Each structure stands twice: as structure tokens, then as C-alpha cells.
Amino acid sequence: MGREGLDEVVEGLEGGISLRMEECRGRRKWKGGRKKWWDEDLEERRKGLIRKEKEWRRDGGEGLRELLLEERKEYKKEIERKKGDYWKEYMERMTLLESFNFVKTDRDFVVDIPGIRGGDGRLVEEESKKGEAILRGLGKREELEQEEEGFEGIVDLDEELVEECVFKQKDGKAVGLNGIGGKVVKMIWRLGWGRKVLMEVMRRSLELGYVPRRFRESIGVVMRKPKKRDYSLPGSYRVIKLLDVVGKGLERVVVKLLGKWGEEGMGDEQWGAREGRSSMEAVGKLMMSWERGGGLGLLLCMDVKGGYENVGVGKMEERLRGLGVDEYLRKWVSSFLRKKRARVRVGKRLGIG
């Protein structure tokens, strides 16, 4: 199976899953299924209120109305009590680093944006093209160099490693263009045929040093930067790209495989790109160092504009070769950085890719 065959398999797999999801979409869980503080008692009270409201609408009567209002107040109080008890217990169990997840950020997701000023100075007013204008205005690098074809290596892919990477995806995370979430992929993995298909897709992708087209397609969600003077300028926005969940699982596999070279190529001062060295761990270490220093310290912050999005493929491959990274992984990383396609969503409108 070559590159075209791999693309067809991925598209057929995702198309079949999406179709099955549409068939099952009408089957809903009970209302409190995703609320951990919800229980059967609250569910019964909710159903009882619905029944009484229907009786009142059918029969009328001031006495029944007052009784319904009183029960609704008690129902809301019980919800607040159970919710409060749950979160109080949850926060008491939480560690310092975990508590950082609840710090509010300056994210402001956009549901409507004004005309965007393009590179030629003219305003782009058409809704479907505003996202594209923002991406172009942010100066995202576009790799025009063609991928090298004809490469094929031999990869012995460990099933336990793949399973670990697949199940690391959180169920509630936002999904990409195909609408397939982490929970669905995990359910497919548990099936015998699903595990075989996903393993074969990932193994062939690595052997060919090629990332399937679907894994390079994303939805771009526009986020407004705070306190900007002119929101007609592309630089007043940030775009978060939501990728294919199966592709993200494969990315985690590649990160694991690159791990041994990463430890050799990155010093102790390097944070990010490694487990246990995320932004939250960096903040935690900074706070502990500050406390040990008696509350004194110096912090220097720098931001390389567009650094992540504008990595040159040639330079990246040169650096990986210098570290002695296997050729199939170098080819895969190069393929991942080329010919990406994004469709920007503003509110419920999805722009042209």
C-alpha cells in the first residue's frame, strides 16, 4: 500500500465512522450523564417537575402553579448544594500544579468579526474568506517544496505504545474536521478489527515517511487578542488549529519514538516537547525556586513571533539528521510540516480551505 492507497484507507475509515455516528446521533444519554455531581435523585426530581408542569399547563389553577414554583426553587437549591459539595471535595484533593488549570486566561473566542484588512490594504468583507485573510496576515509559512516520493523503510511498531498514545486523548477535547472525538476512537480501538486497521494505518504512515492528507487538515478557531486598537488587522487575532484525533494519536507515537534523540539534543534548560516538562511544570518549578530564594528573583520573558508555525522544513531535517534520527522519522516530520490545509471557523460559519 503506497501513499495514495493510505490516503484512501484513512478517508474510507473516517467516512464510515462519521456515517455510523450520524445513524446513532439520535440516541442520547440521560441529561446528567456528563455532570459528575448529577445523580439519580436529581434526575427523578427533574422528571417529576416536568410532569407537574405538564399537568399545570393542561389543568391550570393558581394553587398548582404556586406548588410548582416552590418545588422548582427547592430543586435549584438542591442542584447548587450537590454541585458545591462535589467541587469542594474535588478542590481539596487537588495538587498545586493541577489547580493552575482553573486559572482564567485571556482567551476570547470569536463568533463574529469585522472586515479584515488584507495585504493590499483592502477590506475582506466576505464571511467565508475572513479566516483565510487572518491566516495570510499572520504570515504563516507555506512550504512549496515537494515531498520526496519512493522512500519506504521497515518499522516494528509496538502495539502497547500505540494504545497508550491513543488512550491519552481526552474524551471532551475539541475535534477536527471529521467530527470524530477521542471517545469514539477508543471504542474503535477496543474492537478487534479497529485495532488492526489503526495499527496498519500508523505503521504504513511511518514506513512511507508520509502523513496522510486527512491528518494535515484542520479547523482553525479564531481567538481575539485583548486590548487591540484595530480589530480589522489580522494581528489582532490568534488561530487555534484543531486536528484529526487519529492523527494526533500518531503524533504522540512519533514524539515517543523521537524521545531518545530529544534527550540528547536538548539541555536541562529546555522546557516543552517532553513529558513532565510542560508550561505548568515550568511555572511550578519557578514558584518553588522563588520561595526558596526568599521571594526574590528575576524573570525574563521573550516571544519569538510565529516561531512554531514558521519552522523551515530543510533546517528541521538538517537538525534531526545531525542528532542521528532514523530516516523514516525524519521523512515523517518533513511530511507533517508540508501542504497543511486549514478551514477557519468563525462562530458556526466554516470558511473555505
Side-chain angles (χ1 to χ4, degrees), residues 22-61:
E22 285 296 325
E23 292 173 358
C24 300
R25 205 171 291 280
R27 305 173 190 173
R28 302 292 185 186
K29 288 187 177 180
W30 62 298
K31 188 176 176 66
R34 294 184 65 185
K35 297 173 182 173
K36 295 181 180 180
W37 46 266
W38 194 275
D39 58 20
E40 293 291 346
D41 179 54
L42 283 175
E43 181 65 11
E44 287 302 316
R45 294 184 71 166
R46 183 184 73 85
K47 290 177 179 178
L49 277 173
I50 292 173
R51 285 194 297 269
K52 288 184 179 180
E53 186 172 355
K54 287 180 179 178
E55 289 176 14
W56 172 72
R57 291 184 182 280
R58 185 184 66 241
D59 303 331

Side-chain angles (χ1 to χ4, degrees), residues 8-265:
E8 289 175 4
V9 168
V10 172
E11 289 167 13
L13 173 65
E14 294 188 350
I17 295 170
S18 298
L19 185 62
R20 183 59 178 159
M21 286 171 60
E22 285 296 325
E23 292 173 358
C24 300
R25 205 171 291 280
R27 305 173 190 173
R28 302 292 185 186
K29 288 187 177 180
W30 62 298
K31 188 176 176 66
R34 294 184 65 185
K35 297 173 182 173
K36 295 181 180 180
W37 46 266
W38 194 275
D39 58 20
E40 293 291 346
D41 179 54
L42 283 175
E43 181 65 11
E44 287 302 316
R45 294 184 71 166
R46 183 184 73 85
K47 290 177 179 178
L49 277 173
I50 292 173
R51 285 194 297 269
K52 288 184 179 180
E53 186 172 355
K54 287 180 179 178
E55 289 176 14
W56 172 72
R57 291 184 182 280
R58 185 184 66 241
D59 303 331
E62 190 62 27
L64 187 58
R65 178 177 176 275
E66 289 179 3
L67 181 63
L68 178 63
L69 290 174
E70 188 64 31
E71 288 195 18
R72 186 175 288 169
K73 286 181 183 177
E74 292 299 319
Y75 169 67
K76 289 182 178 179
K77 285 180 183 178
E78 184 67 10
I79 287 177
E80 292 302 319
R81 186 185 69 78
K82 292 201 173 186
K83 189 189 293 187
D85 290 346
Y86 171 81
W87 283 110
K88 182 180 178 182
E89 183 184 348
Y90 182 82
M91 294 298 284
E92 286 174 351
R93 297 196 310 264
M94 186 171 289
T95 65
L96 172 64
L97 288 179
E98 289 172 333
S99 68
F100 287 137
N101 293 326
F102 290 89
V103 177
K104 288 188 176 181
T105 66
D106 59 356
R107 290 188 173 185
D108 180 11
F109 292 100
V110 179
V111 295
D112 193 16
I113 55 178
I116 298 297
R117 200 167 299 281
D120 56 2
R122 288 184 291 184
L123 282 177
V124 177
E125 300 284 0
E126 191 175 337
E127 295 294 340
S128 62
K129 294 184 178 180
K130 287 179 180 177
E132 183 183 353
I134 290 174
L135 285 178
R136 290 188 180 279
L138 291 175
K140 305 300 182 187
R141 182 189 180 99
E142 188 174 354
E143 282 294 341
L144 300 177
E145 184 183 348
Q146 296 296 312
E147 295 180 63
E148 294 181 20
E149 296 190 19
F151 172 80
E152 185 165 350
I154 299 175
V155 179
D156 183 18
L157 191 57
D158 181 39
E159 189 172 304
E160 289 185 5
L161 171 63
V162 176
E163 183 171 13
E164 177 190 345
C165 294
V166 167
F167 278 77
K168 209 165 186 179
Q169 176 70 26
K170 294 181 180 179
D171 294 346
K173 284 285 186 179
V175 299
L177 274 170
N178 57 26
I180 300 172
K183 188 173 184 178
V184 175
V185 175
K186 292 172 192 175
M187 290 172 65
I188 292 168
W189 177 266
R190 292 188 181 101
L191 301 173
W193 68 265
R195 183 186 300 247
K196 289 179 181 177
V197 171
L198 291 175
M199 278 293 298
E200 182 64 13
V201 165
M202 293 189 183
R203 186 180 64 80
R204 284 303 292 164
S205 175
L206 292 171
E207 287 181 342
L208 295 169
Y210 172 73
V211 182
R213 288 193 303 263
R214 285 290 181 94
F215 296 170
R216 286 180 278 180
E217 295 175 350
S218 62
I219 291 179
V221 181
V222 179
M223 188 172 71
R224 184 184 287 111
K225 294 180 182 178
K227 300 178 182 178
K228 293 293 182 179
R229 292 183 179 179
D230 187 356
Y231 282 100
S232 69
L233 299 177
S236 300
Y237 300 91
R238 185 177 292 116
V239 179
I240 297 176
K241 293 181 179 178
L242 308 177
L243 291 162
D244 182 289
V245 170
V246 179
K248 286 166 75 174
L250 180 53
E251 286 178 45
R252 291 191 187 96
V253 171
V254 172
V255 170
K256 291 278 188 181
L257 294 173
L258 287 169
K260 63 178 181 180
W261 293 289
E263 292 298 328
E264 296 172 6

Side-chain angles (χ1 to χ4, degrees), residues 96-97 100 271 278-292:
L96 172 64
L97 288 179
F100 287 137
W271 289 81
S278 68
S279 299
M280 291 296 102
E281 277 82 15
V283 171
K285 185 171 182 179
L286 180 64
M287 287 184 64
M288 287 186 282
S289 299
W290 180 74
E291 288 171 354
R292 285 198 298 267

